[in-house]
Amino acid sequence: MERKHLRVVCAVVSDNGKVLCTQRCRSKRDYISEHWEFPGGQVEDGENPEEALRREIREEMDWDIYVGNRLATVDYSYPDFDITLAAYDCIARQNDFKLLEHLDAKWLKPDELGTLEWTAADAKLIQKIYGGEER
């Protein structure tokens, strides 16, 4: 059986030197359940990454963001699927989002990101974008 491979995009939203971090909801996959991530989601067939990211943020947070340059891309193999995760530098005109698909959200300085329990793919992204230690 062929492993599922997901193309996923995420938003690294910065404001006043802090970065938006969101906490995933509980799920059957304990290795990502309630872990922290940059908000985003899957790229659907026929979508470019920027369109997918704007759509996902609108769906999950009822929020309009500006999608800038790609910051980094990582590949990661979870126990039951593979992921290619691309992070984009994003800004929002207002921080008036709603948490429709997440448990919590925090604004942290880059050197504080290591205080959270991140999904493994996001932890690799943080390492690539900001350096420092992976958790």
Side-chain angles (χ1 to χ4, degrees):
M1 187 170 121
E2 191 175 316
R3 281 176 63 88
K4 189 174 189 177
H5 184 269
L6 305 176
R7 286 187 337 148
V8 179
V9 288
C10 65
V12 178
V13 183
S14 299
D15 186 40
N16 290 323
K18 294 187 176 185
V19 180
L20 180 64
C21 315
T22 54
Q23 188 178 24
R24 294 179 62 91
C25 287
R26 290 171 194 88
S27 77
K28 64 182 181 196
R29 295 182 172 110
D30 62 347
Y31 53 86
I32 57 174
S33 179
E34 297 184 40
H35 285 57
W36 290 82
E37 66 180 1
F38 294 117
Q42 290 185 51
V43 179
E44 295 178 357
D45 290 340
E47 267 184 326
N48 71 41
E50 295 84 358
E51 290 169 339
L53 189 50
R54 280 190 295 273
R55 176 188 50 76
E56 285 285 346
I57 298 299
R58 218 174 298 117
E59 289 174 3
E60 293 184 356
M61 304 174 79
D62 190 24
W63 200 26
D64 286 318
I65 60 167
Y66 169 78
V67 179
N69 294 326
R70 190 175 70 210
L71 295 170
T73 302
V74 297
D75 291 303
Y76 191 82
S77 292
Y78 285 105
D80 54 349
F81 67 95
D82 298 321
I83 184 174
T84 298
L85 177 61
Y88 287 82
D89 188 16
C90 298
I91 56 173
R93 285 173 184 63
Q94 300 169 325
N95 291 333
D96 59 349
F97 59 85
K98 300 175 182 84
L99 294 178
L100 304 174
E101 299 281 330
H102 292 93
L103 292 175
D104 198 5
K106 293 181 181 190
W107 291 93
L108 297 178
K109 294 178 187 167
D111 64 357
E112 297 172 323
L113 296 176
T115 63
L116 301 178
E117 187 174 0
W118 291 84
T119 66
D122 284 82
K124 277 185 77 172
L125 266 182
I126 290 168
Q127 178 72 19
K128 251 185 157 171
I129 296 168
Y130 299 107
E133 294 298 312
E134 275 190 75
R135 281 185 62 116

